Amino acid sequence: MLLDEVWDAQLADQTPGGALVAVPQPGMLLYCDVAAPRGLPELRARVAQLAAGSSDTLSRQVFYRSRGAWEALPDRS
């Protein structure tokens, strides 16, 4: 889901400011542009909501696409 060619080519026009991505459950990818108003807080809230009601949570981590690589954002706590 986080293949370089997908984000650097196929989805680049949907995230011109850079991508914020989470993969909270199998088969589920949540993303938004870095510049989206309230994008990061909403993404984190949705990940937390999904994790609270699921036993198959993959990750609560949000990643940022920067300089052709994925960087894990620090937890908000």
Side-chain angles (χ1 to χ4, degrees):
M1 294 180 145
L2 300 179
L3 294 172
D4 293 343
E5 55 269 14
V6 171
W7 295 94
D8 294 341
Q10 297 172 1
L11 294 178
D13 62 335
Q14 293 185 32
T15 56
L20 295 174
V21 174
V23 185
Q25 296 178 345
M28 180 179 289
L29 175 89
L30 305 174
Y31 74 96
C32 67
D33 188 271
V34 170
R38 296 216 19 90
L40 180 57
E42 293 293 331
L43 188 61
R44 285 185 164 156
R46 183 67 177 134
V47 168
Q49 179 186 35
L50 289 164
S54 175
S55 62
D56 63 347
T57 299
L58 289 178
S59 174
R60 293 177 180 239
Q61 191 68 56
V62 175
F63 298 90
Y64 169 56
R65 184 83 178 156
S66 173
R67 294 167 295 210
W70 291 106
E71 296 180 19
L73 294 181
D75 291 336
R76 61 180 168 178
S77 51

